[in-house]
Amino acid sequence: MTVHDLVKVLPEPDVLLARCRAFAALDAVLGGTWQRHRFEPRWSEGVALAEWESGGGDEYRVVFDPAGVLLMGFDHESAATPWRVEPRAHWPGLLDGVPAALSRHLTDPALLFEGFLDATVCVWREAGAAAWSCGPVAFDGYDDADADGADWLFEPLVGGVDAYVAFAEDIYGRPVDRELVASVVAGSPV
């Protein structure tokens, strides 16, 4: 699965927002001081930010802006890593087409590493749009399973409750109550 497949399976923005909030709350309980998912409802004026870090250099960020949603992921071992060349460069087409109303987040210093946006996946959905979009990236000659990291970076966001339970049990090494997770994703307090 690449970014082209991801845009077909991402949930609606309101569902994505609910999952991001819930996973951050659940990680705060399960992970203590080292939570993988984080959510900042007032990251900047009118904008919320969800983040996830693997602990091994991989991450994603989801910006919830009144103009729409911008999702950026980074798989440091994928073929599309900007670190494949010096100086770093995005995979051709990765950021092409990002709407002007959302593109300011691509250069926000808070989202950059050493002045550069480390990203192997970029997806957006403008407010009022009927579907998610991505740039015209092509991975000719690369196995789709590991071309950009889209196949695994966003598993809990795409898979919802069951995917989060599997993630949390693996990362935190203990059983996680599926009904509790479903309840929190539905909006119940932790």
Side-chain angles (χ1 to χ4, degrees):
M1 178 168 84
T2 68
V3 67
H4 299 292
D5 304 304
L6 180 65
V7 296
K8 298 173 189 171
V9 296
L10 275 172
E12 293 294 312
D14 60 329
V15 173
L16 186 67
L17 177 63
R19 288 178 182 174
C20 288
R21 283 181 179 153
F23 298 163
L26 290 161
D27 272 17
V29 172
L30 296 168
T33 58
W34 176 234
Q35 62 187 82
R36 305 292 176 120
H37 294 91
R38 290 178 303 284
F39 185 80
E40 181 57 49
R42 292 176 195 86
W43 179 62
S44 67
E45 190 172 330
V47 177
L49 177 69
E51 298 179 286
W52 170 82
E53 294 180 349
S54 69
D58 305 303
E59 63 188 17
Y60 69 68
R61 294 184 171 123
V62 186
V63 178
F64 295 93
D65 186 291
V69 180
L70 179 65
L71 183 147
M72 302 156 287
F74 175 62
D75 175 353
H76 77 283
E77 293 181 351
S78 73
T81 181
W83 292 87
R84 74 191 180 287
V85 294
E86 182 59 40
R88 283 181 283 170
H90 293 113
W91 194 264
L94 179 70
L95 304 179
D96 293 356
V98 175
L102 296 172
S103 66
R104 67 186 174 100
H105 300 296
L106 300 174
T107 57
D108 187 313
L111 300 178
L112 306 181
F113 178 70
E114 297 176 350
F116 187 86
L117 176 71
D118 278 336
T120 57
V121 177
C122 185
V123 173
W124 59 89
R125 185 155 171 183
E126 287 185 273
W132 293 95
S133 298
C134 66
V137 295
F139 301 104
D140 299 333
Y142 290 95
D143 179 11
D144 281 352
D146 62 7
D148 61 1
D151 61 319
W152 70 273
L153 282 171
F154 308 101
E155 283 178 340
L157 293 182
V158 170
V161 172
D162 291 328
Y164 178 81
V165 168
F167 158 83
E169 288 181 343
D170 180 52
I171 293 299
Y172 300 121
R174 60 181 179 209
V176 175
D177 184 309
R178 185 195 185 287
E179 296 308 313
L180 171 68
V181 172
S183 176
V184 174
V185 170
S188 298
V190 177

